[in-house]
Amino acid sequence: MSSKLLSAALLVACATGTVAHAAPGDTTIGGKGYFDVTNIDETSDGVKTAASGTGLDVKRFYFSVTHQFDEKWSANLTTDFNYVSNDNETQLFVKKAYFEGKFSDAFVLRVGSTDVPLVPFVEGLYGNRYIENVLVEHLGLEASADWGVHALGKFAGGKAHYAVSAINGNGYKNTSRSQSLDLDTRVDFEPIDGLTLALAYRTGKRGLDKQGVTTYHTATRTELVAAWVKPKYRIGAEYFTADNWNQVLSPLSDKADGYSVWGSYSVKKNVSVFARYDDASPSKDLASDLSNTYVNVGVAFQPIAKLDIALVYKQDKVDNGLYKTSNGTLGGVNTGKHNEIGVWAQVQF
C-alpha cells in the first residue's frame, strides 16, 4: 500500500503546475523555546515520588533552517533540544529534515521527517502547546513528526485541507526500518469563518513489525476535532478511539478512547484566561477500570511580541492501574497524582 501511495504522489507531482513559493535563494532561520519554573507534588498511592520538587525545565527548544532553492523546491532542518530537571541530562534530536516540492496549493510533497497530519494541526487550534501537548500526544498515542513520504494541500480558497503520510510509525526519534509503513491521514474544512471540523485516521504496525518479529494486530486510531477560533477566544473539543495501539506485539486485544475540551478568552489586550479538561480510558478491555484525567487552568500574558508567559496549575491523575510518572517509569498503583504549579513561557524568533 505504501509503494502505491508514493507512486500516486509522484504521478500527481509530475502532472501539476508550479506555483510561486518564496524568493529563490532565500535561507530563513528561526526558533522556538518552551520553558517552565514549577513546583511538582507527585504521589503514588499517597506516597510522594522522587519527581516531586522545584526546578527549571527547558521542555523544548527548536532551531530551524529553511532554504528555498527555486519557486518549487525547498529543504528544512529543525533540531529539537530539551532539558528536564529531574532527568539530569540534555537531549538533542533531529525533529524535521525534509525536501519539499510545492507543485500547487493543492499538492505539496515532502520526503523525510516532518509534521504528522494530526498533532501540529490541533496544536494550531489549541494555541497553548507550550503549556501542554495535545490529547493523543499527551497519552503517548502519537508523535508530532515522523519519517516518511507526506502529501498535503488546500482547496476551496483555503477553506478545506488534507494531509496524507506514509510513515515509519515510531516517531521522529526512531529512524529504524520495519516491514511496512503506517498510513496517517487528516481532512478538515471551515464551513464558516472561525469554525474548523476535522477527521483524522491512522492505521499500521507502528514500526514494530521487524524481520523475525511476530505481530498480532494492526493499530488503528480515529479522531474527531471541532474548534471555534476567533481573535478574542478559542473553544475546542477532541475525541479519539483506538484499537490495539499497544497490542501490536501481543495476542491480546485492547481498545482505548478519550476526549479533551479546552478554551481560552482574552480578558484584555495581551491577557487571557484558559482551561482544559481531558478524560481517557487507556485500556478498555484489559484494564477496564483504568482511567486518566488531566486538567489545567491559568492566565497568560504577552508582554512583548513573540514572548508568552503563563501562570498555570495542572493535575494529571491515574486511577486503578499503571501510572506513567513524569520521568517515564511505570508502576502498579491504585492512584497516581501529578500536581504542578508554576510559570510556563514560550519564546519565538
Side-chain angles (χ1 to χ4, degrees):
M1 178 176 63
S2 59
S3 61
K4 292 180 179 179
L5 176 65
L6 175 57
S7 298
L10 293 174
L11 285 173
V12 175
C14 294
T16 311
T18 61
V19 170
H21 200 22
D26 280 359
T27 299
T28 304
I29 297 175
K32 180 187 293 187
Y34 303 150
F35 306 83
D36 67 66
V37 180
T38 68
N39 177 265
I40 294 174
D41 181 9
E42 184 175 275
T43 59
S44 173
D45 277 347
V47 179
K48 189 169 291 191
T49 74
S52 300
T54 301
L56 165 71
D57 298 327
V58 182
K59 290 292 181 64
R60 287 291 184 267
F61 203 108
Y62 303 114
F63 184 78
S64 179
V65 179
T66 302
H67 181 74
Q68 192 71 38
F69 296 100
D70 57 25
E71 293 182 344
K72 182 187 298 183
W73 299 103
S74 62
N76 174 274
L77 174 65
T78 300
T79 60
D80 179 5
F81 159 89
N82 73 303
Y83 166 72
V84 181
S85 57
N86 59 23
D87 285 350
N88 295 318
E89 63 180 13
T90 60
Q91 301 176 76
L92 181 65
F93 307 98
V94 172
K95 181 170 186 178
K96 300 180 188 180
Y98 64 85
F99 192 49
E100 176 183 294
K102 181 173 182 180
F103 300 92
S104 72
D105 286 343
F107 184 77
V108 178
L109 179 67
R110 292 178 177 175
V111 179
S113 179
T114 189
D115 293 340
V116 297
L118 178 64
V119 172
F121 167 77
V122 178
E123 290 175 354
L125 299 171
Y126 175 47
N128 281 331
R129 166 60 186 91
Y130 72 103
I131 296 168
E132 190 65 65
N133 44 19
V134 297
L135 177 64
V136 292
E137 189 179 18
H138 179 70
L139 294 172
L141 300 178
E142 184 75 288
S144 57
D146 210 332
W147 298 85
V149 180
H150 312 259
L152 59 151
K154 59 184 178 180
F155 301 92
K159 295 294 186 179
H161 305 79
Y162 76 92
V164 179
S165 297
I167 54 178
N168 286 0
N170 211 0
Y172 64 92
K173 296 179 184 179
N174 190 325
T175 60
S176 62
R177 290 173 176 254
S178 60
Q179 299 298 301
S180 63
L181 298 176
D182 283 17
L183 178 66
D184 203 356
T185 65
R186 187 200 80 243
V187 292
D188 66 87
F189 68 102
E190 189 178 359
I192 58 176
D193 286 345
L195 176 63
T196 297
L197 304 175
L199 170 65
Y201 177 74
R202 175 170 167 179
T203 182
K205 301 288 188 175
R206 299 186 54 219
L208 300 173
D209 56 333
K210 301 181 183 301
Q211 185 66 38
V213 175
T214 300
T215 60
Y216 295 90
H217 299 288
T218 297
T220 63
R221 193 193 69 243
T222 302
E223 176 152 350
L224 300 171
V225 181
W228 185 256
V229 178
K230 289 290 188 177
K232 197 169 182 64
Y233 59 84
R234 296 171 181 260
I235 302 171
E238 309 164 51
Y239 169 79
F240 83 90
T241 179
D243 290 341
N244 297 311
W245 193 263
N246 295 313
Q247 301 303 114
V248 173
L249 302 180
S250 170
L252 302 177
S253 298
D254 203 6
K255 295 182 179 180
D257 64 15
Y259 67 87
S260 176
V261 291
W262 40 262
S264 62
Y265 182 77
S266 178
V267 294
K268 59 183 295 186
K269 184 178 180 181
N270 299 330
V271 180
S272 62
V273 293
F274 59 86
R276 169 176 159 183
Y277 178 79
D278 299 357
D279 192 329
S281 298
S283 181
K284 295 174 70 68
D285 294 340
L286 300 180
S288 58
D289 292 333
L290 176 63
S291 66
N292 181 193
T293 57
Y294 169 85
V295 62
N296 72 36
V297 60
V299 56
F301 313 88
Q302 191 176 58
I304 59 174
K306 305 297 185 179
L307 174 63
D308 298 281
I309 300 173
L311 177 63
V312 190
Y313 167 75
K314 298 182 182 183
Q315 184 185 85
D316 201 350
K317 181 181 178 182
V318 172
D319 284 322
N320 302 312
L322 294 177
Y323 177 56
K324 185 175 182 181
T325 65
S326 61
N327 63 8
T329 60
L330 292 173
V333 298
N334 289 322
T335 300
K337 290 183 180 179
H338 178 100
N339 295 293
E340 190 169 8
I341 188 168
V343 176
W344 277 254
Q346 170 181 251
V347 61
Q348 304 178 68
F349 62 89

